[in-house]
Amino acid sequence: MTSPLLHSLTIALGERSYPILIGSGLLANPTSLQNLPQASSALIVSNSTVAPLYAEALQTGLQKHYARVLQVVLPDGEAYKDWQTLQLIFDALLESGCDRKTVLFALGGGVVGDMTGFAAASYMRGVPFVQVPTTLLAQVDSSVGGKTGINHPLGKNMVGAFYQPQRVLCDLDTLKTLPAREVSAGLAEVIKYGPIADMVFFDWIEAHISALVARDVQALAHAVRRSCEIKADVVSQDEREGGLRAILNFGHTFGHAIEAGLGYGDWLHGEAVGCGMVMAAHLSLALGLVDEAFVQRLTRLIAAAGLPVRGPQLDAVDNAGLYLDLMRVDKKAEAGTIRFVVIDGPGRARMCAADDGTVRSVIDRCCAA
Ligand code: NAD
Ligand code: GLY
């Protein structure tokens, strides 16, 4: 028997608006799949870890709505977020004669979601897709807002498209099988929303961090809902990141340097973002925007979520220099000038440039010897 839906909210983008459903038992709940675009075929895109756990439940639900429900199972890992693996989705669609109404279902974490969204944006110049995120990170961030894409050997998420899903289905039950390290990685993106937008939420996360780490379903439901509300609000105002949306990248500039410098997959994306937020908070302190107490408070919360708070040493000779080089290929960089998201007082964020000397001293302070 299915559990009741806990929360529903809408991301307001005019004719591209869509609902985000958050609850227990959504995969098995027939109402969660009602009123999606009609088509003769649906394709579930998943990976070798998630498909054995949840594809059958989704397939059963979809068979009530679509005459043909196909599946493609991708290899698991950030290393496969590339052209070759994307091609497997197009192969499955074309080999099965899928037409331009086919609906794609992304069943998995952010890697599957980003790739499926990009495939949907490009197949026959665009087919509908639905996000069914199964990691905490994907439920609170990557499945919402329409950023899709793949990595290039020279940079993360460098090839992609803005393309909104028809619906996001966050089934909290799927988080029960998530490795603990992945839960912590997702909490980094939850914590992010506090300093950039809502210190009341930040207080709440502090008070409930043990419940969140322990996957208490009520705590998770609130965290996913409030995170999606904040993200929906920002994306509704600035869908294509002309300005405001960039604040959602708090911690990501340092974080992307960590991921690239260590090699993708060594630290999880959320771990790098968690540590990157500590570094970005130190930069905000160095620029006189927040006080030391705020930095320590954020650092304690990130540590309590089970995330690293000391940056890795990326280079024995010139560690800060390598961080700077890696950050210059960030998508927010303009004409080689790195643009950081800084906290402009608790609960408020903005973009700013900083001179290399200041950034170097922040990196030296934040990195493990
Ligand atoms: P992921 O997709 O690699 O998933 C993490 C791991 O958990 C994988 O091994 C996956 O197979 C496994 N997994 C997924 N669901 C599971 C479940 N329910 N039970 C057991 N195992 C499960 O990583 P992620 O953290 O979900 O996403 C990271 C990706 O998201 C990165 O590529 C990042 O660039 C992208 N991202 C995109 C956006 C966006 O706005 N589009 C935002 C943030 C991050
Ligand atoms: N994760 C950042 C964004 O969606 O803009």
Side-chain angles (χ1 to χ4, degrees):
M1 203 49 219
T2 54
S3 311
L5 177 67
L6 297 181
H7 300 294
S8 168
L9 49 128
T10 301
I11 177 153
L13 289 167
E15 62 184 14
R16 281 170 288 102
S17 299
Y18 54 93
I20 302 166
L21 308 184
I22 303 159
S24 282
L26 286 187
L27 276 185
N29 186 337
T31 58
S32 59
L33 298 173
Q34 275 171 357
N35 302 322
L36 283 168
Q38 295 188 350
S40 56
S41 307
L43 175 71
I44 299 172
V45 182
S46 192
N47 72 19
S48 52
T49 303
V50 180
L53 296 169
Y54 302 112
E56 194 181 329
L58 183 57
Q59 171 109 15
T60 303
L62 290 175
Q63 277 163 349
K64 300 186 177 82
H65 299 272
Y66 301 99
R68 265 196 330 165
V69 182
L70 310 159
Q71 287 188 29
V72 59
V73 177
L74 308 179
D76 183 5
E78 184 75 34
Y80 296 101
K81 194 175 165 183
D82 61 7
W83 277 116
Q84 285 75 17
T85 312
L86 184 72
Q87 187 75 3
L88 298 177
I89 305 177
F90 298 128
D91 291 348
L93 287 162
L94 287 164
E95 284 165 8
S96 308
C98 288
D99 62 25
R100 66 194 326 170
K101 289 195 163 176
T102 305
V103 186
L104 270 52
F105 288 80
L107 176 69
V111 170
V112 165
D114 282 10
M115 293 183 75
T116 307
F118 190 34
S122 341
Y123 184 65
M124 295 199 178
R125 302 200 181 92
V127 293
F129 86 111
V130 174
Q131 289 276 15
V132 189
T134 62
T135 64
L136 182 58
L137 184 141
Q139 295 191 355
V140 301
D141 192 353
S142 64
S143 66
V144 173
K147 278 190 182 174
T148 73
I150 56 171
N151 299 328
H152 184 279
L154 295 180
K156 192 170 157 59
N157 296 330
M158 284 293 165
V159 180
F162 286 98
Y163 193 68
Q164 300 295 342
Q166 299 291 317
R167 186 171 298 179
V168 181
L169 288 179
C170 300
D171 188 334
L172 301 169
D173 290 348
T174 61
L175 303 181
K176 289 179 185 156
T177 54
L178 202 57
R181 199 176 157 196
E182 299 287 352
V183 174
S184 293
L187 286 173
E189 303 281 11
V190 174
I191 292 168
K192 163 185 89 175
Y193 292 110
I196 64 167
D198 182 357
M199 287 307 283
V200 174
F201 185 43
F202 189 82
D203 294 344
W204 181 91
I205 302 168
E206 277 185 327
H208 293 84
I209 192 65
S210 304
L212 289 166
V213 169
R215 300 173 217 210
D216 173 87
V217 75
Q218 294 300 333
L220 285 172
H222 180 73
V224 174
R225 178 177 67 83
R226 188 65 197 126
S227 299
C228 288
E229 276 173 358
I230 295 170
K231 181 152 187 185
D233 182 45
V234 171
V235 171
S236 300
Q237 294 177 62
D238 180 23
E239 182 183 6
R240 296 177 75 91
E241 201 165 308
L244 176 71
R245 183 167 177 167
I247 66 168
L248 298 173
N249 288 315
F250 175 52
H252 287 57
T253 308
F254 289 106
H256 284 167
I258 293 171
E259 285 183 277
L262 291 176
Y264 293 110
D266 190 342
W267 281 29
L268 300 178
H269 175 72
E271 292 171 335
V273 167
C275 185
M277 287 193 287
V278 174
M279 298 174 86
H282 276 280
L283 179 62
S284 310
L285 173 66
L287 297 171
L289 302 171
V290 294
D291 60 17
E292 179 77 37
F294 174 79
V295 178
Q296 293 314 322
R297 193 179 161 200
L298 177 61
T299 305
R300 271 195 305 276
L301 182 56
I302 291 168
L307 294 160
V309 292
R310 299 283 298 162
Q313 201 75 21
L314 299 180
D315 187 87
V317 178
D318 183 11
N319 183 52
L322 181 52
Y323 268 86
L324 281 162
D325 286 347
L326 291 167
M327 290 192 291
R328 281 188 232 284
V329 293
D330 188 85
K331 282 196 291 308
K332 293 182 297 303
E334 287 174 9
T337 301
I338 309 164
R339 292 172 51 72
F340 297 92
V341 181
V342 289
I343 301 305
D344 194 11
R348 234 178 24 242
R350 70 175 165 88
M351 301 292 295
C352 95
D355 65 83
D356 282 4
T358 305
V359 180
R360 276 181 176 275
S361 66
V362 165
I363 293 166
D364 290 346
R365 184 169 175 193
C366 293
C367 286

